[in-house]
């Protein structure tokens, strides 16, 4: 992954299983958001590829590419809701843009998605009228609007207090709980510009040969308010 001739990360290689909760770790500026953007097709790799069920996202074009990208739902760091739209309007937007559903069908789906993230009854609220945690939840509801196979979150708990952040973690677990279990992580290192750990975070915390990785994961525990990145 590079911006012009400036390489952000290289030699990344990992597979994510269906229903797995996979975490991209690493310090600020190591390339987590950049990697997420590559995985959802917003940025193209300088070299390499991103495959879904063996199909290249980077080489897909036209309708094939649209179909692949429709399988991916993204929830951005800030929640990234339109402030001039109600929660219902925000969640409805992808449905209005990408489907032929009737307004009534869209309203029903919107209410269902908001209910799934614990925001039933908040349809007509504006983002400024609800808490930061609720904005994030609404962002998750919008990311789920088109029933994606895969949900991406960029720093879901950034800026949230520990309790709200835990609730959001629980929500993500609940959503995944519908499908199956698993948890692994990749650690991006800014210094060496590549991944220096891949595996179960608890195992990495205790057994990683990389002191940096162990320290990073322990720090997260000592400081409940900190973000694991
Ligand atoms: N649009 C851009 N142009 C050039 N460099 C960028 C751009 N966006 C991010 N970077 C650089 O890429 C690196 C990784 O950034 P980012 O993926 O945002 O890291 P993280 O999400 O891990 O904090 C940083 O050094 C950042 O300065
Ligand atoms: Mg980032």
């Amino acid at each position: 992954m590079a911006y012009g001739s400036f390489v952000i990360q290289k030699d990344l290689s990992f597979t994510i299983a269906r229903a797995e909760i996979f975490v991209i770790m690493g310090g600020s500026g190591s390339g987590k958001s950049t990697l997420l953007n590559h995985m959802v097709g917003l940025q193209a790799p300088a070299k390499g590829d991103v495959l879904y069920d063996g199909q290249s996202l980077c080489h897909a074009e036209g309708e094939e590419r649209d179909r692949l990208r429709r399988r991916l739902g993204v929830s951005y760091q800030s929640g990234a809701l339109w402030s001039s739209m109600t929660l219902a309007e925000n969640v409805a937007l992808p449905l209005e843009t990408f489907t032929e559903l009737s307004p009534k069908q869209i309203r029903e789906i919107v209410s269902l998605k908001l209910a799934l993230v614990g925001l039933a009854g908040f349809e007509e609220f504006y983002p400024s009228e609800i808490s930061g945690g609720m904005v994030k939840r609404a962002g998750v509801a919008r990311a789920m609007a088109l029933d994606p196979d895969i949900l991406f979150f960029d720093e879901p708990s950034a800026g949230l207090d520990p309790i709200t952040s835990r609730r959001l973690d629980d929500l993500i677990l609940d959503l995944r709980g519908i499908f199956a279990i698993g948890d692994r992580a990749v650690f991006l290192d800014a210094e060496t510009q590549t991944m220096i750990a891949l595996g179960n975070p608890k195992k990495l915390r205790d057994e990683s040969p990389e002191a940096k990785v162990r320290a990073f994961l322990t720090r997260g525990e000592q400081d409940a308010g900190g973000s694991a990145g």
Side-chain angles (χ1 to χ4, degrees):
M1 311 189 299
Y3 289 100
S5 59
F6 185 59
V7 174
I8 307 293
Q9 285 282 325
K10 57 186 189 305
D11 303 328
L12 301 184
S13 177
F14 54 88
T15 304
I16 303 173
R18 175 169 287 273
E20 186 170 35
I21 289 185
F22 187 84
V23 182
I24 300 166
M25 306 184 297
S28 176
S30 60
K32 301 179 299 294
S33 296
T34 304
L35 177 56
L36 189 149
N37 286 340
H38 280 71
M39 291 169 77
V40 301
L42 288 175
Q43 282 177 260
K47 204 173 160 203
D49 208 343
V50 178
L51 305 175
Y52 286 95
D53 298 327
Q55 190 188 357
S56 166
L57 173 67
C58 308
H59 295 102
E61 284 173 0
E63 226 171 88
E64 196 185 17
R65 182 179 167 79
D66 291 346
R67 212 176 324 119
L68 258 177
R69 289 198 47 188
R70 282 266 300 268
R71 295 179 55 192
L72 319 175
V74 190
S75 176
Y76 292 99
Q77 190 162 340
S78 57
L81 298 179
W82 294 101
S83 57
S84 61
M85 292 183 178
T86 63
L87 299 193
E89 286 165 347
N90 267 287
V91 179
L93 200 57
L95 293 159
E96 286 161 357
T97 313
F98 295 109
T99 74
E100 305 292 326
L101 295 168
S102 72
K104 180 170 178 284
Q105 283 170 317
I106 290 180
R107 261 199 310 280
E108 278 168 13
I109 294 172
V110 165
S111 292
L112 178 73
K113 301 299 176 188
L114 284 172
L116 266 178
V117 300
L119 289 174
F122 286 90
E123 280 81 352
E124 302 314 317
F125 281 66
Y126 286 88
S128 61
E129 297 173 321
I130 57 175
S131 72
M134 290 160 86
V135 169
K136 299 252 180 166
R137 284 167 179 267
V140 175
R142 190 180 56 182
M144 293 195 304
L146 295 169
D147 288 327
D149 292 341
I150 307 159
L151 270 178
F152 294 82
F153 302 89
D154 195 355
E155 309 229 15
S157 13
L160 299 180
D161 63 77
I163 292 166
T164 312
S165 152
R166 171 59 81 79
R167 273 201 213 114
L168 197 74
D169 288 350
D170 289 342
L171 168 67
I172 295 171
L173 286 171
D174 284 349
L175 295 173
R176 187 275 308 267
I178 300 166
F179 305 103
I181 318 171
D183 64 343
R184 289 194 311 141
V186 65
F187 188 97
L188 305 189
D189 182 42
E191 204 180 332
T192 55
Q193 298 166 325
T194 191
M195 50 197 271
I196 55 170
L198 176 68
N200 179 285
K202 284 204 188 83
K203 245 184 125 102
L204 290 177
R205 177 194 62 195
D206 301 333
E207 298 169 18
S208 172
E210 293 282 352
K212 231 187 256 184
V213 173
R214 293 196 309 272
F216 188 87
L217 288 166
T218 329
R219 187 183 66 199
E221 273 180 7
Q222 285 161 352
D223 168 21
S227 153

